[in-house]
Amino acid sequence: MITGDASYIKKMNRSLILKEILKEGMLSRADVSKVTALTRATVSGQVSDLLDEELVIEKEIEYNQVGRKPIMLSINAEAGYAIGIDLEYDRISFAISDLQGSLVLTDAIKLQNNAYADILTLLTGQIKHYQERFAASRYGIIGIVIAIHGLVSTDEVIHYIPSFDWHDVPLKSDLENALGLQVKLENNANLSAFAERVFFHHETNDLLSVTLHSGIGMGMMINHSFFRGQDGFAGEIGHMIVLPGGLPCNCGNQGCWEKYASETSVLQQLRAKKPDADITYAQIERWMEEKDPDVTEIMEQFIYYLSIGLNNIINIYNPEVVILDSELLRIYPDSLPLIESNLNSRVSHYREIKISTIGKKSCVLGACAIAIQNFLQVPVLNLPYKG
């Protein structure tokens, strides 16, 4: 039983009720009382407040038996909207979700340059546009979370973005001053990991999400929380050395994992082998179906080096679930069995390795989910994935 002052207990009970309604989608008052172990009187009082605040709505459901139709409670999805932003190397992707985590709008703006002042102006203008567009809802924009492809400190200062050559940039404070809204910055791989846990792996305590796009990043969920390291820079697993004395990396080392097992590394090799070809995922898939020898060799090396890195991180973290976010793996036949066949260590332990079904949307979905969790103040967020 939770003990403490009345306001604290009320806050904890509220969080518990919202958590269960979000998880199940719809619950009756009796069901809420049952799954939370709270008294019906406590549930009734809390639900009354949530209805007044328009965070919860009531619905009658079809009922074929004799008696009163059950009244179900659900989150009022349209009470407010979250903004998730992915600050990529060549574009900014925007996503707006309702309070149930469903995307209602997506936008992308190509970047003409990487000058900080220009990108700050672009972000400010676009967010203000969304503020106006969703102002009619009860709570309007309930949170803004931006995915950073680089190092973000624990106090949310951008330490370094390699693709922009940004160092110690105060994007959070600059945006908050311009908008009058709270803004949160988070590493992109962390947000992908959060999306995987929130939308799919509800019962997973320890999850690793490895993103294999322009580089390699790793988001780590341990006991439902991010593992960040001392300064917030944990997860830069792409700079683990897998080939001593290998290819030089921008980080200053040689032989880093992302030089051999990121999608960028594969695409660079394919362009070198086929300089006149239009390198797209659809074309790569056709080459694999045709068993093109150059493509076959490059993809086999990709799987080989990917497996080396996965073996290392599995031995270090002993995760329940490892999620791999890669379009190349999604189109490569039997990629998971091939990877698992290379993980032969008797000391490696994990429950499962899966390829992400969300894909690159995981980043903005995770950003929206963080905003929803912060707004509703629920300790653990579980949402249905609606595609």
Side-chain angles (χ1 to χ4, degrees), residues 140-308:
I141 298 301
I142 56 92
I144 303 162
V145 179
I146 303 179
I148 303 299
H149 293 245
L151 301 179
V152 184
S153 66
T154 50
D155 56 359
E156 297 179 55
V157 171
I158 295 174
H159 178 66
Y160 180 47
I161 297 182
S163 58
F164 293 167
D165 196 29
W166 286 2
H167 299 265
D168 301 318
V169 172
L171 180 63
K172 173 184 169 69
S173 59
D174 285 347
L175 278 174
E176 288 178 341
N177 291 335
L179 298 166
L181 292 173
Q182 186 174 2
V183 175
K184 182 172 181 57
L185 306 187
E186 186 57 79
N187 176 268
N188 66 299
N190 280 348
L191 292 174
S192 292
F194 192 71
E196 296 290 347
R197 205 220 59 77
V198 165
F199 291 100
F200 283 100
H201 301 277
H202 294 169
E203 306 305 320
T204 300
N205 291 325
D206 300 312
L207 177 148
L208 302 181
S209 174
V210 182
T211 57
L212 304 168
H213 301 299
S214 56
I216 299 181
M218 183 171 70
M220 295 172 279
M221 299 291 298
I222 297 177
N223 290 328
H224 301 296
S225 299
F226 292 130
F227 177 78
R228 303 179 185 277
Q230 177 178 323
D231 299 310
F233 302 154
E236 292 297 320
I237 203 70
H239 299 288
M240 168 178 59
I241 294 172
V242 296
L243 187 64
L247 294 171
C249 179
N250 290 337
C251 77
N253 281 325
Q254 292 177 277
C256 290
W257 192 25
E258 68 179 40
K259 302 303 293 184
Y260 298 89
S262 66
E263 293 199 351
T264 294
S265 69
V266 172
L267 296 176
Q268 287 173 343
Q269 292 177 69
L270 287 171
R271 291 188 187 104
K273 288 284 187 179
K274 301 177 180 294
D276 299 324
D278 183 19
I279 308 294
T280 64
Y281 289 112
Q283 180 59 65
I284 294 170
E285 189 170 16
R286 285 192 291 271
W287 282 329
M288 287 191 287
E289 290 171 354
E290 297 165 0
K291 301 189 186 306
D292 180 283
D294 290 332
V295 176
T296 298
E297 180 183 0
I298 290 170
M299 290 301 296
E300 286 176 351
Q301 285 294 298
F302 170 60
I303 293 292
Y304 171 73
Y305 283 110
L306 177 58
S307 302
I308 289 175

